[in-house]
PDB file of all heavy atoms in Angstrom:
ATOM      1  N   GLN A  11     -20.135  53.057  69.122  1.00  0.00           N
ATOM      2  CA  GLN A  11     -19.888  54.117  68.128  1.00  0.00           C
ATOM      3  C   GLN A  11     -18.643  54.949  68.471  1.00  0.00           C
ATOM      4  O   GLN A  11     -18.433  55.296  69.710  1.00  0.00           O
ATOM      5  CB  GLN A  11     -21.134  55.006  67.965  1.00  0.00           C
ATOM      6  CG  GLN A  11     -21.021  55.978  66.865  1.00  0.00           C
ATOM      7  CD  GLN A  11     -22.324  56.768  66.786  1.00  0.00           C
ATOM      8  OE1 GLN A  11     -23.168  56.840  67.743  1.00  0.00           O
ATOM      9  NE2 GLN A  11     -22.460  57.507  65.660  1.00  0.00           N
ATOM     10  N   GLY A  17     -16.300  65.238  68.548  1.00  0.00           N
ATOM     11  CA  GLY A  17     -17.538  64.675  69.056  1.00  0.00           C
ATOM     12  C   GLY A  17     -18.485  64.133  67.876  1.00  0.00           C
ATOM     13  O   GLY A  17     -19.502  63.670  68.181  1.00  0.00           O
ATOM     14  N   VAL A  23     -16.635  51.417  58.951  1.00  0.00           N
ATOM     15  CA  VAL A  23     -16.742  50.514  57.770  1.00  0.00           C
ATOM     16  C   VAL A  23     -15.455  50.508  56.989  1.00  0.00           C
ATOM     17  O   VAL A  23     -14.935  51.539  56.714  1.00  0.00           O
ATOM     18  CB  VAL A  23     -17.967  50.875  56.862  1.00  0.00           C
ATOM     19  CG1 VAL A  23     -17.994  50.115  55.665  1.00  0.00           C
ATOM     20  CG2 VAL A  23     -19.208  51.030  57.658  1.00  0.00           C
ATOM     21  N   LYS A  27     -10.465  49.242  48.315  1.00  0.00           N
ATOM     22  CA  LYS A  27      -9.301  49.680  47.651  1.00  0.00           C
ATOM     23  C   LYS A  27      -9.573  50.099  46.268  1.00  0.00           C
ATOM     24  O   LYS A  27     -10.560  49.669  45.605  1.00  0.00           O
ATOM     25  CB  LYS A  27      -8.232  48.541  47.557  1.00  0.00           C
ATOM     26  CG  LYS A  27      -7.672  48.163  48.863  1.00  0.00           C
ATOM     27  CD  LYS A  27      -6.607  47.159  48.798  1.00  0.00           C
ATOM     28  CE  LYS A  27      -6.053  46.798  50.172  1.00  0.00           C
ATOM     29  NZ  LYS A  27      -4.977  45.844  50.098  1.00  0.00           N
ATOM     30  N   LYS A  32      -1.074  48.668  40.987  1.00  0.00           N
ATOM     31  CA  LYS A  32       0.205  49.202  41.238  1.00  0.00           C
ATOM     32  C   LYS A  32       1.254  48.506  40.292  1.00  0.00           C
ATOM     33  O   LYS A  32       1.156  47.364  40.111  1.00  0.00           O
ATOM     34  CB  LYS A  32       0.721  49.007  42.688  1.00  0.00           C
ATOM     35  CG  LYS A  32      -0.073  49.771  43.676  1.00  0.00           C
ATOM     36  CD  LYS A  32       0.444  49.635  45.058  1.00  0.00           C
ATOM     37  CE  LYS A  32      -0.295  50.458  46.009  1.00  0.00           C
ATOM     38  NZ  LYS A  32       0.188  50.221  47.383  1.00  0.00           N
ATOM     39  N   VAL A  45      33.351  48.217  46.840  1.00  0.00           N
ATOM     40  CA  VAL A  45      34.829  47.813  46.806  1.00  0.00           C
ATOM     41  C   VAL A  45      34.978  46.866  47.860  1.00  0.00           C
ATOM     42  O   VAL A  45      34.771  47.119  49.054  1.00  0.00           O
ATOM     43  CB  VAL A  45      35.771  49.085  46.885  1.00  0.00           C
ATOM     44  CG1 VAL A  45      37.174  48.710  46.780  1.00  0.00           C
ATOM     45  CG2 VAL A  45      35.359  50.003  45.823  1.00  0.00           C
ATOM     46  N   VAL A  48      40.783  42.488  51.288  1.00  0.00           N
ATOM     47  CA  VAL A  48      41.297  41.914  52.494  1.00  0.00           C
ATOM     48  C   VAL A  48      42.202  42.981  53.159  1.00  0.00           C
ATOM     49  O   VAL A  48      43.186  43.307  52.571  1.00  0.00           O
ATOM     50  CB  VAL A  48      42.095  40.558  52.265  1.00  0.00           C
ATOM     51  CG1 VAL A  48      42.612  40.042  53.594  1.00  0.00           C
ATOM     52  CG2 VAL A  48      41.151  39.605  51.646  1.00  0.00           C
ATOM     53  N   ARG A  52      44.208  41.749  58.866  1.00  0.00           N
ATOM     54  CA  ARG A  52      43.632  40.400  58.878  1.00  0.00           C
ATOM     55  C   ARG A  52      44.617  39.341  58.537  1.00  0.00           C
ATOM     56  O   ARG A  52      44.557  38.219  59.126  1.00  0.00           O
ATOM     57  CB  ARG A  52      42.441  40.270  57.963  1.00  0.00           C
ATOM     58  CG  ARG A  52      41.229  41.093  58.470  1.00  0.00           C
ATOM     59  CD  ARG A  52      39.996  41.002  57.594  1.00  0.00           C
ATOM     60  NE  ARG A  52      39.645  39.578  57.405  1.00  0.00           N
ATOM     61  CZ  ARG A  52      39.114  39.150  56.231  1.00  0.00           C
ATOM     62  NH1 ARG A  52      38.823  40.040  55.262  1.00  0.00           N
ATOM     63  NH2 ARG A  52      38.799  37.929  56.055  1.00  0.00           N
ATOM     64  N   GLN A  64      50.592  26.379  65.880  1.00  0.00           N
ATOM     65  CA  GLN A  64      51.791  25.569  65.678  1.00  0.00           C
ATOM     66  C   GLN A  64      52.563  25.274  66.938  1.00  0.00           C
ATOM     67  O   GLN A  64      53.140  24.227  67.125  1.00  0.00           O
ATOM     68  CB  GLN A  64      52.706  26.213  64.585  1.00  0.00           C
ATOM     69  CG  GLN A  64      52.175  26.236  63.180  1.00  0.00           C
ATOM     70  CD  GLN A  64      52.000  24.764  62.595  1.00  0.00           C
ATOM     71  OE1 GLN A  64      52.925  23.939  62.770  1.00  0.00           O
ATOM     72  NE2 GLN A  64      50.908  24.513  61.959  1.00  0.00           N
ATOM     73  N   GLY A  71      54.775  18.436  63.761  1.00  0.00           N
ATOM     74  CA  GLY A  71      55.827  19.145  62.957  1.00  0.00           C
ATOM     75  C   GLY A  71      55.382  20.540  62.558  1.00  0.00           C
ATOM     76  O   GLY A  71      54.214  20.837  62.559  1.00  0.00           O
ATOM     77  N   GLN A  83      41.351  31.721  50.290  1.00  0.00           N
ATOM     78  CA  GLN A  83      40.052  31.345  50.954  1.00  0.00           C
ATOM     79  C   GLN A  83      39.531  32.419  51.801  1.00  0.00           C
ATOM     80  O   GLN A  83      38.386  32.251  52.379  1.00  0.00           O
ATOM     81  CB  GLN A  83      40.350  30.155  51.946  1.00  0.00           C
ATOM     82  CG  GLN A  83      40.816  28.942  51.130  1.00  0.00           C
ATOM     83  CD  GLN A  83      41.216  27.801  52.057  1.00  0.00           C
ATOM     84  OE1 GLN A  83      41.231  27.957  53.251  1.00  0.00           O
ATOM     85  NE2 GLN A  83      41.476  26.583  51.505  1.00  0.00           N
ATOM     86  N   LYS A  92      29.147  52.041  52.688  1.00  0.00           N
ATOM     87  CA  LYS A  92      28.098  52.424  51.662  1.00  0.00           C
ATOM     88  C   LYS A  92      28.593  52.163  50.316  1.00  0.00           C
ATOM     89  O   LYS A  92      29.833  52.521  50.023  1.00  0.00           O
ATOM     90  CB  LYS A  92      27.623  53.825  51.889  1.00  0.00           C
ATOM     91  CG  LYS A  92      26.880  54.092  53.190  1.00  0.00           C
ATOM     92  CD  LYS A  92      26.324  55.475  53.175  1.00  0.00           C
ATOM     93  CE  LYS A  92      25.453  55.727  54.433  1.00  0.00           C
ATOM     94  NZ  LYS A  92      24.839  57.038  54.415  1.00  0.00           N
ATOM     95  N   GLN A 118      32.620  45.443  42.729  1.00  0.00           N
ATOM     96  CA  GLN A 118      31.431  44.825  42.412  1.00  0.00           C
ATOM     97  C   GLN A 118      30.229  45.653  42.271  1.00  0.00           C
ATOM     98  O   GLN A 118      30.104  46.521  43.039  1.00  0.00           O
ATOM     99  CB  GLN A 118      31.089  43.688  43.382  1.00  0.00           C
ATOM    100  CG  GLN A 118      31.846  42.452  43.291  1.00  0.00           C
ATOM    101  CD  GLN A 118      31.326  41.424  44.337  1.00  0.00           C
ATOM    102  OE1 GLN A 118      30.630  41.763  45.284  1.00  0.00           O
ATOM    103  NE2 GLN A 118      31.610  40.139  44.192  1.00  0.00           N
ATOM    104  N   HIS A 125      24.505  40.771  45.322  1.00  0.00           N
ATOM    105  CA  HIS A 125      25.577  41.125  44.362  1.00  0.00           C
ATOM    106  C   HIS A 125      25.151  40.508  42.976  1.00  0.00           C
ATOM    107  O   HIS A 125      24.442  39.633  42.812  1.00  0.00           O
ATOM    108  CB  HIS A 125      26.948  40.573  44.747  1.00  0.00           C
ATOM    109  CG  HIS A 125      27.368  41.050  46.080  1.00  0.00           C
ATOM    110  ND1 HIS A 125      27.825  42.400  46.275  1.00  0.00           N
ATOM    111  CD2 HIS A 125      27.526  40.574  47.376  1.00  0.00           C
ATOM    112  CE1 HIS A 125      28.188  42.549  47.469  1.00  0.00           C
ATOM    113  NE2 HIS A 125      28.049  41.465  48.145  1.00  0.00           N
TER     114      HIS A 125
END
Side-chain angles (χ1 to χ4, degrees):
Q11 186 177 16
V23 177
K27 291 186 178 181
K32 292 183 178 180
V45 180
V48 178
R52 288 183 53 214
Q64 289 295 317
Q83 296 177 356
K92 290 187 177 183
Q118 277 186 344
H125 300 291

